[in-house]
Amino acid sequence: MLKYTIRRILYVIPILFGVTLVCFLLFNVAGGDPAAQAAGKYATVEQIESIRAELGLNQPIYLQYLDYLKQILTFDFGRSWSTKQKISEMFWSGVGPSLSVTVPGFLITLMITIPLSLVLGYLRDSFIDRTAMVVCLALISISSLVYILAGQYFLAYLWGMFPISGWDSSWTGRWEYTTLPILIMVVLSLGGQILFFRTIFIEELSKDYVRTARAKGLSNKKVLTKHILRNALIPIITLVVLQVPFLILGSLLLESFFGIPGLGGLLVTAINNADFPVIKAMIVILTILYTTFNLISDLLYAVVDPKVRLQ
Amino acid sequence: MTSAQNTQGRSLWADAIRKIKKNRIAVVSFWIIIAYIGLAALCAMDLVFTSYSLVDNTIPYQAPSSAHWFGTDLFGRDVLARAAHGTVTSLIVGFVGAGLSVLIGTLLGALAGYFGGLVDELITWFYSTLDNIPYILLLVAFSFVSGPGLKTLCLAIGLTSWVGHCRLVRSEFIKQRGQEYVQGAFSMGASHARRIFVHILPNTLHLILISFSLGFVSAIKSEVILSYLGLGVEPGTPSWGMMISDAKLELSRGVWWGLAAATVFMFFLVLAFTLFNDAVRDATDPKLRDK
């Protein structure tokens, strides 16, 4: 296990090099001249040049890249162009609001989809299963934007069951504003997740140990909960771990629709304002988080499944 | 398929087509897809729904009526005609975006899987790197730096979504490269290129097709999200993403028909593609053959 852990951690180094390089090239090379963008549309050549010197963009490209790495390591990404706030502060203040929508939303979805897909997998190809499949496929054929628009329009605007948008930074007051986004998040992830889990459960159901468990006379309930659910937990845990960075990011669309001051909404605002440093910083932070959780999920996988370690 | 298998019985494809023909849902889905392609072709040639860009400022936001089945938009343009023309945009995004990503993924995956060694390590590093950037962020970042527009939209989707195809083709090539028919081709003097493209590639085509159609659906959905972020097609070009995004402002004025038209058009295309894809997967799955 130790050998595998070390190898897997070492493997992260080239990946981190790669992802920082992609982010750097995307924004500093492919995205045009950052100095000209920072200076704005009506800047003179001298102004652009002085900003270029200020941002260190007159240095050779590899020095700029090292500078960028230094920013990441010290978590100091400078300031936003539009609000002049420190980006690291913007990041930390956005995490809480994002998590207060995504964590309840994600957990509620799991509590609905796991038992439901287990039952559907067991009833495979029955009338109930086929109907549920059609419903799930229909659910995923509608754009997530439509769910948000319809939810906000009907439940908040027309029927007044929830506030249309807004935010209360106190922990007790915010739930009034997060309930509808949480509800919409659950509905729009139902279809895809049930399809995903059902496939996993069906695969488990066809394995030999299930036949053995049945052959020794265990009840269906025992087979499903004690045997299948436990074995299927491995891919489920992987999914959950890999979702963590997305829970931190929050939903770009939900947050911008409901005025939730989370990271997703922050990113949408930054895109609308062409706020380069914020977009660049957000993407690299979340990418590094994602890489880290990828590593964690692989290590967890190796803990529960010894076959992985030997590969 | 190799000739040896042909003489023994039906080929994978003949078998698959026979199975798909028997599957009623698959047949209906297939004809729905064809209908969409036909509609897009007619719209692109300006033969039907020619009024899609006809501005009439006297009738903004008219509710559905017999003259305008899905009402009119802010500029008095017919919503149904715009939704129909949106099919062209969506099909271009789907076919070009997903096509480009399948092309890149297949080429890199084939090279990595076939040659192995250093080539494989480099390509694996490259796609693992991209795979470690959350897809939606990569797509948004790419569209942001390349600017809005139909061309850049297709390019952004194509260049960011090939990792899944690449991984699939690579693992399939690793499986196939040691098989007898490839060794046979080698002993008959087939070049690397010939073995890759003429011998192995056709045996992975069904998987690539399934992968492509998943990519197609995801490209169409991405267009909606990118439109909302202001990174969609040029303003004025009819697109479902734009129509759905515009609904944010329209709904508060009670205008629901733009959203409804775009959603209905998109719903049936995506559903048909998903169902057809499932049927192709079942029909070409070797584990389910001859049942």
Side-chain angles (χ1 to χ4, degrees):
Chain A
M1 185 63 206
L2 183 70
K3 231 169 120 188
Y4 175 80
T5 312
I6 293 171
R7 213 171 31 173
R8 185 62 186 77
I9 290 174
L10 285 178
Y11 183 64
V12 168
I13 295 169
I15 296 294
L16 281 180
F17 169 70
V19 294
T20 50
L21 192 66
V22 168
C23 291
F24 174 76
L25 290 177
L26 208 52
F27 284 97
N28 286 39
V29 182
D33 184 358
Q37 267 137 3
K41 273 183 208 153
Y42 308 106
T44 60
V45 179
E46 290 81 43
Q47 279 172 321
I48 294 177
E49 283 311 313
S50 81
I51 287 176
R52 194 189 307 280
E54 195 186 312
L55 295 176
L57 295 171
N58 47 5
Q59 289 173 323
I61 203 113
Y62 68 92
L63 279 180
Q64 287 185 41
Y65 177 64
L66 287 179
D67 205 43
Y68 179 59
L69 287 185
K70 205 180 96 195
Q71 280 189 356
I72 297 167
L73 285 175
T74 54
F75 209 72
D76 179 10
F77 295 95
R79 286 173 187 276
S80 150
W81 285 350
S82 56
T83 64
K84 308 291 174 210
Q85 255 181 302
K86 276 189 92 168
I87 294 173
S88 50
E89 282 167 15
M90 290 166 85
F91 179 81
W92 290 121
S93 68
V95 173
S98 283
L99 288 177
S100 32
V101 175
T102 50
V103 170
F106 186 58
L107 292 181
I108 295 171
T109 315
L110 283 182
M111 282 190 291
I112 299 172
T113 52
I114 291 177
L116 206 58
S117 351
L118 185 58
V119 173
L120 290 177
Y122 176 69
L123 297 173
R124 180 180 188 180
D125 288 333
S126 68
F127 177 72
I128 297 174
D129 177 48
R130 277 168 193 268
T131 317
M133 283 305 96
V134 173
V135 173
C136 285
L137 287 174
L139 282 176
I140 59 166
S141 300
I142 300 169
S143 167
S144 43
L145 197 55
V146 175
Y147 288 98
I148 300 173
L149 281 162
Q152 194 181 37
Y153 179 63
F154 287 109
L155 299 177
Y157 182 80
L158 218 54
W159 300 333
M161 293 160 73
F162 303 96
I164 293 173
S165 82
W167 185 250
D168 185 340
S169 51
S170 74
W171 275 99
T172 45
R174 68 177 56 170
W175 304 113
E176 189 192 343
Y177 297 103
T178 56
T179 313
L180 183 55
I182 290 172
L183 191 71
I184 294 176
M185 184 181 159
V186 171
V187 174
L188 64 83
S189 17
L190 275 185
Q193 230 175 59
I194 291 177
L195 289 174
F196 178 78
F197 286 144
R198 178 181 168 272
T199 317
I200 291 175
F201 286 131
I202 285 179
E203 209 167 290
E204 286 300 325
L205 273 160
S206 65
K207 286 192 177 159
D208 288 341
Y209 73 85
V210 178
R211 200 185 330 133
T212 312
R214 288 235 169 89
K216 70 179 189 185
L218 288 184
S219 69
N220 263 328
K221 200 178 140 202
K222 268 224 164 98
V223 175
L224 285 180
T225 54
K226 285 258 155 96
H227 292 257
I228 291 170
L229 190 60
R230 279 201 187 173
N231 277 293
L233 272 182
I234 299 170
I236 293 173
I237 289 171
T238 314
L239 173 93
V240 173
V241 173
L242 282 181
Q243 279 298 315
V244 174
F246 292 102
L247 300 184
I248 295 171
L249 167 66
S251 159
L252 273 72
L253 301 178
L254 276 174
E255 289 183 6
S256 92
F257 264 88
F258 289 97
I260 294 161
L263 293 180
L266 192 76
L267 188 59
V268 174
T269 317
I271 291 167
N272 288 334
N273 297 334
D275 201 337
F276 260 71
V278 175
I279 303 173
K280 205 166 111 180
M282 289 279 294
I283 287 174
V284 84
I285 294 171
L286 286 157
T287 300
I288 291 171
L289 264 177
Y290 192 57
T291 310
T292 314
F293 279 91
N294 244 332
L295 171 70
I296 295 174
S297 102
D298 274 8
L299 293 181
L300 273 181
Y301 216 114
V303 172
V304 290
D305 189 351
K307 272 184 284 179
V308 176
R309 273 176 254 164
L310 298 171
Q311 273 171 13
Chain B
M1 284 286 100
T2 55
S3 55
Q5 269 170 308
N6 270 335
T7 51
Q8 278 170 14
R10 301 177 305 267
S11 78
L12 179 70
W13 282 108
D15 209 30
I17 291 168
R18 194 178 53 92
K19 264 190 206 163
I20 290 169
K21 273 185 183 164
K22 273 200 287 187
N23 182 342
R24 213 182 310 155
I25 295 175
V27 173
V28 172
S29 305
F30 176 76
W31 286 111
I32 292 177
I33 296 168
I34 295 294
Y36 269 100
I37 295 173
L39 174 67
L42 291 174
C43 283
M45 292 186 289
D46 243 341
L47 293 174
V48 291
F49 296 114
T50 45
S51 63
Y52 78 97
S53 59
L54 196 69
V55 174
D56 185 350
N57 285 323
T58 57
I59 48 163
Y61 287 147
Q62 289 229 317
S65 63
S66 56
H68 302 284
W69 289 4
F70 268 100
T72 61
D73 68 0
L74 172 64
F75 302 105
R77 297 175 298 198
D78 185 58
V79 168
L80 178 62
R82 291 197 74 72
H85 274 261
T87 312
V88 181
T89 309
S90 274
L91 288 186
I92 291 177
V93 170
F95 279 113
V96 178
L100 186 63
S101 92
V102 163
L103 207 67
I104 300 172
T106 304
L107 196 65
L108 291 181
L111 291 177
Y114 179 81
F115 287 110
L118 190 64
V119 179
D120 184 28
E121 297 214 353
L122 270 177
I123 293 175
T124 308
W125 170 75
F126 188 40
Y127 78 63
S128 307
T129 293
L130 285 187
D131 204 29
N132 268 281
I133 305 175
Y135 176 65
I136 180 77
L137 294 183
L138 183 65
L139 181 62
V140 165
F142 204 95
S143 316
F144 179 74
V145 295
S146 58
L150 183 59
K151 258 187 227 156
T152 50
L153 189 68
C154 294
L155 205 63
I157 291 173
L159 291 179
T160 53
S161 63
W162 53 268
V163 173
H165 311 301
C166 182
R167 180 172 289 145
L168 176 85
V169 173
R170 174 178 170 269
S171 69
E172 204 54 31
F173 265 70
I174 290 175
K175 244 186 265 168
Q176 302 273 350
R177 72 175 170 205
Q179 302 241 328
E180 286 90 345
Y181 74 90
V182 183
Q183 288 171 359
F186 171 67
S187 65
M188 286 164 73
S191 65
H192 285 307
R194 196 175 160 77
R195 268 176 276 160
I196 292 176
F197 295 108
V198 180
H199 294 277
I200 306 179
L201 196 62
N203 283 330
T204 61
L205 262 186
H206 61 287
L207 293 171
I208 296 173
L209 185 75
I210 293 165
S211 192
F212 166 78
S213 100
L214 289 176
F216 182 92
V217 167
S218 123
I220 289 180
K221 287 185 178 171
S222 301
E223 191 258 334
V224 180
I225 311 288
L226 289 176
S227 295
Y228 175 73
L229 297 175
L231 303 170
V233 297
E234 294 85 351
T237 311
S239 99
W240 300 337
M242 287 290 189
M243 292 174 78
I244 295 175
S245 314
D246 286 345
K248 191 188 182 187
L249 297 172
E250 292 175 357
L251 276 181
S252 56
R253 313 172 70 164
V255 178
W256 51 266
W257 37 90
L259 175 66
T263 306
V264 168
F265 267 83
M266 197 174 132
F267 176 78
F268 287 105
L269 178 62
V270 172
L271 189 62
F273 248 94
T274 315
L275 289 172
F276 187 66
N277 195 33
D278 273 1
V280 174
R281 181 165 39 205
D282 286 349
T284 55
D285 189 345
K287 273 186 266 172
L288 300 173
R289 269 194 103 179
D290 293 321
K291 271 186 192 167

